[in-house]
Amino acid sequence: MEEGKVLSQSVQQSAAAYAIIHDKFGEAVSAFDGNETMPFFEVINTSIWTEIALFMRDNPKLQFNYLACLSGVDYQAEDKVGIVCNFESLGIFNHKLSVKVKCARSGGSIPSIACVWHTANWHEREAYDMFGMSFAGHPDFKRILCPDDWEGYPLLKDYKVQETYHGIKVPY
Amino acid sequence: MQELDIAGMGSIRVTQKSDNVVVLEKDLMTEQMVLAMGPQHPSTHGVLKLECLTDGEVITEAVPFLGYLHRCFEKCCENVDYPGIVPYTDRLDYLTGMNNEFAYAITVEKLLDIEIPRRVEFIRVMVAELNRIASHLVAIGTYGIDLGAFTPFLFCFRDREHIVALLEWASGARMLYNYIWVGGIANDIPADFNKRVKEFVDYFRPKTVELYKLLTENEIFVKRTIGIGIMPADVAINYGWSGPMLRGSGVKWDLRRNDPYSIYPELDFAVPVPDGKDSEIGDCLSRHLVRVLEMEESLKIIEQCIDKMPSSEGFNPRSAVPKRVRPKAGEVYGRAENPRGELGFYIQSDGKSTKPVRCKARSSCFVNLSAMKDLSKGQLLPDLVAIIGSIDIVLGEVDR
Amino acid sequence: MPLLMGNNLNVWSEALTGFYLFGLPIGLVILAAIPLVFIALYSLTYGVYGERKISAFMQDRLGPMEVGKWGILQTIADILKLLQKEDIVPTSADKFLFVVGPGILFVGSFLAFAVLPFSPAFIGANLNVGLFFAIGIVAIEVVGILAAGWGSNNKWSLYGAVRSVAQIVSYEIPAAIALLCGAMMAGTLDMQKITMLQSGTFGFAHFYLFHSPIAWLPFLIYFIASLAEVNRAPFDIPEAESELVAGYFTEYSGMKFAVIFLAEYGSMFMVSAIISIVFLGGWNSPLPNIGSFALNDWTNGPVWGAFWIIMKGFFFIFVQMWLRWTLPRLRVDQLMYLCWKVLTPFAFVSFVLTAIWEIYVP
């Protein structure tokens, strides 16, 4: 957090929520980035991500019951892909927080939080479809938007579209 | 008596009745049938495939298959600059073009440092609410057709024609507007626009009563939708539902009130939540009622916009539109209340380029539809149609 | 023209009855074919055209306007188009059943026209069990529907066919019981006699609908049950367009589709005619004799009779169309509930009450 800067109320609420998570998980989570537009923290130890997610949902002071969006992102410079999750405590505390989880670009895997929020089920399938990371423990792990036998992961920055699909020329 | 297991025929009971009479009995078992509803089907509101496992008329499971309308919105966004993405956002949920553009514009404006002129705000809200009514009319009309009532569909579309004509007058297009730009609007509304909108509001108010009597209070319609597809509130939140779906389950959550944007804090309107008197909370009828009542609230908002709108003296709609949209480095998740739920944009910008690094559209219908598998268990086939109609999906937004 | 002189109709029909060609009763065949052609002509042109225009006006639009003045020739254009269409039979369909289904459907729905009295001097076959024949022969449709649905080799068609069979077979019961009330009031099953017993100088007051204070109940029950018999909304679950694409006739195109459609409109007219005959006086004029204005005498006669029954048939067709475009569709289990738990008990009640009225009230 930047010292000496007056943070808006919503960022302060997010910071307070982060503090509770940091208290429980310590070094497994990164420092809090309190920017105005999307305050977030990153999960360093991705293997306990599902635990952190359960804690965020069930802790009586956090109660992040609403996963607004789970986006896949390609961090090409770091040779990683990751997800950005936007959480909210809908109707209870109304605080928001975002979480980033990264993994290796090829063959990387992130634990699935589909068992914690049902929203994540299809969002994770879409992230896999577009970026290629696998989600360990996902109940229905397959592509969602592209056909099941599509080659490659379209939203990666260095994606080259395949030449033919079932005999149909793809690039136009 | 003994049991034989003959390959391909299941188990057969063999009983010796007498010296030369042997009885073979086989249990009558009904097999489950796989019924593919779609992608071409009158009721799936677009190209959606629902693979249903049915046991007679009862559905044991209905799994949605998406992707038939996937047009790589997010990949296109990375190759087009920020103002150029606006027509793409139109085409997400093509029935609510203005609302999509609104959501996108306020998200990008969070990363820019501009002040939107007040008249622009009022115009944005007015066209967005007009589009909300148009979208709900389609939802209600097509819901009637799904259940066999053909006439409300035409009444709804007749009224929607007036709205679409108004929006065409303002923006130049009937459905895909490219009107709400990042930083302002494309052009000012015509001189008599407010007068005509007021005339429309006065014309439309009694029509909502007529529609209510024709469809919503119709005994057969109520019988078809009450108690069907019930979704409890906490499960709905866990699924990520928003908008009329969530309000139908009894949660009073409207982004225009709970996470306000633009000038909504200054406007006076109610958030309709069913109270369980006419319907069961969380069933299809509740969701339908929320949409019907929301149209009336939108009319109120439009009237207030007309009254409070600053004059057009010396007004330049593009005064705050930057020549080159180059947001500061950072990321933002912005959202707006679309007629179908929460449309969110996650935009990541690197501060140097005029094109976003990542632009993800969090679509309301995508999330609402994900509950289909669990909602449809044990329902009859006609009820499945009723549930899909009440979720009110537009495949453009589901597949992007 | 001799055909307009009512008495000569009898002469003609008797002459035709005796007309044999090569020993075959060609005359009788022509006699049976006349009402078919007659009905086909107007039930198709005016029925389909009427449906499109009526539904259009109810939905705040215009309907067919291009072909002919006010689109009157639209149906002719449609028939011409359908005649020229390629006759597609899906490769995996059961060819025999697929082709024979529409035929049986058509036959089942038109056979009942044979016993409908269109005028005091004109009835196809003057059976003394005419009403019984009319109720029973409609059941042949079920075979046709099942053949069409199964033969299409399409899961959606099968759904529609199975639903339709369940619906038609179930609704025959309250329909038959309600019509039997009418037969009780008349004391005969002969359609021509039922109509003649409702004639009188007071016009509509002689109709069986006003015969007893309970007569409206079988009338209503038969009306609702007949809607289900002809698969019209709100009972059009077998053809539910929004669920089953087109139900049992999804795979049909071209002339076979036209035949099915024709059968549907024909049976619409048939049930309208039956209900007008049994409860509303058939070819009798509803106008009473008021003093010196002998309206009833002026408007009764062989040709007037045909006019009246056709008008009554049209009226009920209009009501059927009105209901179709107003009401949503009932779900399958709600439909069955309505039949077995509502209409059938009420039909029995009306049966008993009509019987009591007939026996004890002079």
Side-chain angles (χ1 to χ4, degrees):
Chain A
M1 286 200 285
E2 293 182 31
E3 301 297 335
K5 185 170 170 211
V6 175
L7 300 168
S8 74
Q9 198 205 14
S10 72
V11 180
Q12 281 175 3
Q13 282 179 326
S14 313
Y18 168 77
I20 301 175
I21 302 174
H22 184 72
D23 273 339
K24 173 92 189 259
F25 291 98
E27 290 306 311
V29 302
S30 76
F32 179 64
D33 180 335
N35 65 73
E36 270 301 323
T37 47
M38 197 181 90
F40 72 93
F41 69 90
E42 189 184 326
V43 173
I44 313 274
N45 181 1
T46 56
S47 58
I48 58 162
W49 168 221
T50 319
E51 252 187 75
I52 304 179
L54 276 166
F55 179 74
M56 285 174 79
R57 187 190 73 177
D58 296 332
N59 182 288
K61 290 211 206 61
L62 295 175
Q63 293 208 40
F64 283 110
N65 54 3
Y66 182 68
L67 168 60
C69 180
L70 190 152
S71 333
V73 187
D74 182 13
Y75 301 101
Q76 199 181 25
E78 303 167 36
D79 195 31
K80 284 196 175 173
V81 287
I83 55 171
V84 177
C85 314
N86 299 296
F87 294 108
E88 183 170 3
S89 175
L90 192 149
I92 309 175
F93 300 117
N94 295 321
H95 48 218
K96 298 187 211 168
L97 192 53
S98 305
V99 181
K100 291 194 191 182
V101 186
K102 298 186 190 166
C103 72
R105 205 142 179 272
S106 56
S109 166
I110 303 177
S112 162
I113 52 169
C115 51
V116 186
W117 292 278
H118 284 113
T119 325
N121 192 321
W122 276 18
H123 283 270
E124 283 176 354
R125 277 176 68 183
E126 190 189 339
Y128 159 64
D129 194 2
M130 296 287 137
F131 290 94
M133 74 278 257
S134 57
F135 288 92
H138 193 279
D140 193 17
F141 187 66
K142 54 183 199 263
R143 287 192 186 255
I144 189 168
L145 291 174
C146 296
D148 284 332
D149 50 358
W150 194 256
E151 288 156 23
Y153 301 103
L155 276 178
L156 289 174
K157 294 288 182 193
D158 56 357
Y159 170 70
K160 283 272 176 304
V161 80
Q162 62 197 65
E163 281 300 316
T164 60
Y165 175 71
H166 286 260
I168 312 168
K169 180 162 166 291
V170 177
Y172 62 96
Chain B
M1 187 184 63
Q2 52 172 162
E3 294 255 357
L4 291 179
D5 198 357
I6 302 181
M9 288 185 67
S11 81
I12 300 183
R13 283 192 301 280
V14 183
T15 322
Q16 180 99 34
K17 285 285 190 207
S18 67
D19 277 337
N20 44 7
V21 174
V22 172
V23 175
L24 297 165
E25 283 174 301
K26 186 172 184 309
D27 280 331
L28 263 184
M29 235 183 32
T30 51
E31 257 179 42
Q32 290 198 343
M33 186 162 83
V34 175
L35 193 61
M37 201 160 151
Q40 295 142 325
H41 187 90
S43 283
T44 51
H45 289 249
V47 270
L48 169 71
K49 180 161 109 156
L50 273 179
E51 231 176 54
C52 312
L53 267 176
T54 61
D55 180 12
E57 283 260 351
V58 176
I59 304 212
T60 41
E61 198 177 64
V63 179
F65 282 77
L66 315 175
Y68 290 95
L69 198 49
H70 180 60
R71 296 154 293 167
C72 326
F73 166 77
E74 293 164 13
K75 190 79 177 175
C76 292
C77 287
E78 295 173 8
N79 295 324
V80 173
D81 59 358
Y82 286 93
I85 296 179
V86 172
Y88 286 99
T89 56
D90 266 334
R91 283 146 176 84
L92 282 176
D93 174 356
Y94 34 80
L95 293 172
T96 62
M98 293 290 190
N99 290 288
N100 301 343
E101 297 173 6
F102 204 177
Y104 175 72
I106 59 173
T107 309
V108 179
E109 283 155 16
K110 283 196 166 97
L111 284 175
L112 297 167
D113 218 350
I114 46 180
E115 178 158 334
I116 310 293
R118 244 178 99 72
R119 187 174 156 90
V120 165
E121 299 272 35
F122 275 100
I123 294 176
R124 279 180 172 183
V125 168
M126 189 162 75
V127 294
E129 293 301 320
L130 276 173
N131 209 326
R132 187 183 308 270
I133 299 178
S135 168
H136 281 321
L137 283 172
V138 175
I140 294 170
T142 51
Y143 198 33
I145 279 214
D146 285 346
L147 297 179
F150 301 97
T151 314
F153 173 75
L154 285 140
F155 288 177
C156 289
F157 268 67
R158 174 198 62 193
D159 299 328
R160 181 175 177 265
E161 269 307 298
H162 297 296
I163 300 180
V164 163
L166 281 170
L167 291 174
E168 184 188 9
W169 197 22
S171 71
R174 275 169 60 99
M175 191 152 106
L176 304 166
Y177 309 105
N178 192 7
Y179 185 64
I180 299 183
W181 286 1
V182 176
I185 48 180
N187 41 257
D188 194 6
I189 49 178
D192 274 341
F193 192 74
N194 284 349
K195 195 166 72 124
R196 292 266 185 265
V197 173
K198 186 85 181 65
E199 280 171 19
F200 168 74
V201 171
D202 293 331
Y203 154 82
F204 186 60
R205 269 223 169 83
K207 299 291 179 196
T208 51
V209 176
E210 182 188 273
L211 200 61
Y212 209 83
K213 285 211 192 91
L214 187 56
L215 192 61
T216 316
E217 280 181 357
N218 188 315
E219 173 104 21
I220 300 183
F221 180 82
V222 169
K223 272 234 175 85
R224 285 293 299 271
T225 51
I226 197 166
I228 310 285
I230 295 189
M231 181 66 120
D234 47 354
V235 181
I237 298 178
N238 196 282
Y239 264 103
W241 276 16
S242 51
M245 309 291 293
L246 194 54
R247 292 195 279 282
S249 289
V251 181
K252 194 161 175 151
W253 179 259
D254 186 331
L255 287 175
R256 297 172 290 176
R257 279 265 179 269
N258 299 86
D259 194 4
Y261 50 96
S262 187
I263 44 150
Y264 280 107
E266 299 172 34
L267 299 170
D268 172 36
F269 62 97
V271 173
V273 176
D275 51 8
K277 276 205 307 250
D278 302 315
S279 62
E280 287 176 40
I281 307 237
D283 69 354
C284 293
L285 186 57
S286 304
R287 301 193 267 271
H288 172 82
L289 279 173
V290 167
R291 293 193 182 101
V292 167
L293 295 169
E294 261 183 16
M295 289 203 293
E296 175 61 43
E297 301 301 323
S298 291
L299 287 175
K300 277 196 218 148
I301 297 177
I302 295 174
E303 281 180 326
Q304 290 170 54
C305 284
I306 298 176
D307 290 332
K308 295 185 183 167
M309 193 178 290
S311 85
S312 60
E313 287 288 320
F315 170 66
N316 178 5
R318 302 188 196 179
S319 57
V321 175
K323 260 211 180 36
R324 191 156 286 168
V325 177
R326 200 183 299 229
K328 62 179 193 259
E331 42 200 356
V332 64
Y333 175 70
R335 58 207 185 150
E337 176 83 14
N338 254 29
R340 286 177 174 82
E342 170 188 322
L343 174 64
F345 283 95
Y346 166 71
I347 297 185
Q348 188 183 7
S349 146
D350 65 0
K352 295 183 292 236
S353 147
T354 50
K355 303 181 188 166
V357 171
R358 173 84 167 103
C359 172
K360 163 156 170 105
R362 181 266 192 217
S363 84
S364 46
C365 298
F366 183 75
V367 175
N368 292 346
L369 189 59
S370 62
M372 192 69 222
K373 196 166 160 193
D374 288 328
L375 264 184
S376 62
K377 279 198 170 55
Q379 302 284 352
L380 293 172
L381 188 58
D383 290 337
L384 186 69
V385 171
I387 294 174
I388 300 177
S390 80
I391 300 186
D392 184 22
I393 46 173
V394 170
L395 263 296
E397 212 183 22
V398 173
D399 287 343
R400 277 154 290 149
Chain C
M1 283 170 47
L3 265 170
L4 286 178
M5 310 287 282
N7 288 330
N8 282 8
L9 268 178
N10 277 344
V11 172
W12 275 78
S13 66
E14 271 164 35
L16 269 176
T17 324
F19 180 61
Y20 279 74
L21 195 64
F22 310 123
L24 293 167
I26 300 292
L28 277 175
V29 173
I30 297 178
L31 204 54
I34 289 179
L36 266 180
V37 170
F38 188 39
I39 304 301
L41 267 178
Y42 74 74
S43 100
L44 192 60
T45 55
Y46 296 118
V48 177
Y49 173 73
E51 166 123 53
R52 292 176 72 165
K53 273 307 212 193
I54 291 171
S55 70
F57 286 160
M58 284 183 191
Q59 292 165 358
D60 205 3
R61 55 188 178 90
L62 287 173
M65 292 288 281
E66 294 289 316
V67 190
K69 181 93 169 136
W70 301 317
I72 290 187
L73 300 175
Q74 179 70 45
T75 326
I76 315 273
D78 283 339
I79 307 252
L80 285 174
K81 177 203 79 171
L82 283 171
L83 277 172
Q84 295 168 50
K85 268 199 165 172
E86 180 186 350
D87 195 31
I88 302 177
V89 175
T91 37
S92 47
D94 187 328
K95 286 199 180 26
F96 175 68
L97 287 177
F98 191 78
V99 170
V100 119
I104 299 178
L105 192 55
F106 185 90
V107 160
S109 88
F110 273 86
L111 267 180
F113 281 98
V115 294
L116 296 179
F118 282 102
S119 132
F122 196 77
I123 179 169
N126 202 354
L127 301 176
N128 59 347
V129 288
L131 192 58
F132 182 57
F133 177 84
I135 298 174
I137 210 69
V138 173
I140 290 186
E141 278 184 14
V142 168
V143 179
I145 293 176
L146 208 48
W150 180 264
S152 303
N153 194 29
N154 179 340
K155 283 177 188 155
W156 297 105
S157 305
L158 188 61
Y159 258 100
V162 168
R163 282 174 174 179
S164 179
V165 165
Q167 181 180 308
I168 293 184
V169 165
S170 314
Y171 274 88
E172 268 176 13
I173 294 180
I177 297 177
L179 281 182
L180 282 180
C181 295
M184 267 201 287
M185 292 193 271
T188 171
L189 286 173
D190 185 337
M191 300 281 254
Q192 192 71 288
K193 284 218 187 62
I194 294 179
T195 322
M196 286 199 276
L197 283 168
Q198 294 178 63
S199 39
T201 49
F202 290 114
F204 64 86
H206 292 282
F207 292 167
Y208 282 150
L209 183 55
F210 308 105
H211 181 85
S212 76
I214 200 67
W216 58 270
L217 189 56
F219 171 74
L220 199 57
I221 292 175
Y222 183 70
F223 184 66
I224 299 175
S226 67
L227 279 179
E229 290 287 313
V230 298
N231 291 339
R232 290 289 289 186
F235 305 107
D236 64 348
I237 270 269
E239 332 170 332
E241 273 137 31
S242 47
E243 289 157 32
L244 307 176
V245 187
Y248 59 87
F249 50 84
T250 312
E251 295 284 343
Y252 286 94
S253 63
M255 207 51 210
K256 293 206 197 62
F257 175 76
V259 162
I260 295 180
F261 232 60
L262 175 56
E264 177 172 325
Y265 282 92
S267 44
M268 262 173 75
F269 182 78
M270 175 194 57
V271 295
S272 307
I274 291 180
I275 200 175
S276 342
I277 290 167
V278 176
F279 291 102
L280 283 181
W283 42 253
N284 287 306
S285 163
L287 303 171
N289 274 343
I290 311 176
S292 61
F293 287 102
L295 290 167
N296 193 280
D297 295 331
W298 295 344
T299 55
N300 257 327
V303 178
W304 270 110
F307 171 75
W308 285 119
I309 188 164
I310 291 170
M311 278 300 120
K312 289 171 193 174
F314 275 173
F315 171 70
F316 281 106
I317 291 185
F318 173 74
V319 176
Q320 288 178 338
M321 290 178 183
W322 191 4
L323 283 175
R324 176 181 189 187
W325 300 108
T326 312
L327 297 174
R329 185 179 299 133
L330 283 178
R331 206 174 57 209
V332 146
D333 58 329
Q334 292 166 346
L335 210 142
M336 288 294 138
Y337 175 89
L338 183 69
C339 173
W340 292 105
K341 291 200 184 169
V342 176
L343 285 184
T344 310
F346 275 104
F348 277 124
V349 163
S350 73
F351 191 76
V352 168
L353 289 174
T354 314
I356 294 176
W357 179 272
E358 288 304 315
I359 296 175
Y360 291 112
V361 174

